[in-house]
Amino acid sequence: MTETRFQQLVKWGGLALLLAAVGNIFFVLRYREAYRDATRIEQVYPQQLATLNLEQQALEGVIRDFAGKAGTDPRVAEILRRYGLVTAPKP
């Protein structure tokens, strides 16, 4: 290896190491941010699921109540039929 070739390797090698170090730091910080977001979502998800389950139970209760009145109230029966929640009464 000649002296000029060695000087070029030292010059460009240092630059390549610097770029690799900056790239590694960037990727580490990026993955750390993604991990932080994932752990935050993991903590919030059970709370959201519980809220949705409560809302679903409330809606099912309302539908059951209206379905009970569908036989006596034609307006309620029409609303439930429109959304496909209750089948039409058989003659």
Side-chain angles (χ1 to χ4, degrees), residues 35-88:
Y35 177 75
R36 185 184 68 222
D37 292 342
T39 56
R40 186 178 306 138
I41 289 170
E42 189 177 25
Q43 291 171 354
V44 171
Y45 177 74
Q47 296 168 352
Q48 294 292 330
L49 187 61
T51 302
L52 288 174
N53 284 338
L54 289 174
E55 289 175 5
Q56 182 179 2
Q57 289 173 357
L59 287 174
E60 287 173 355
V62 169
I63 289 171
R64 268 187 274 166
D65 185 40
F66 275 96
K69 296 178 182 178
T72 58
D73 190 347
R75 185 102 167 111
V76 172
E78 173 59 33
I79 292 170
L80 293 175
R81 267 195 304 275
R82 184 179 324 146
Y83 292 103
L85 298 174
V86 173
T87 57

Side-chain angles (χ1 to χ4, degrees), residues 17-31:
L17 286 175
L18 178 66
L19 288 175
V22 169
N24 284 332
I25 291 170
F26 172 77
F27 286 119
V28 165
L29 291 176
R30 185 167 174 93
Y31 284 120

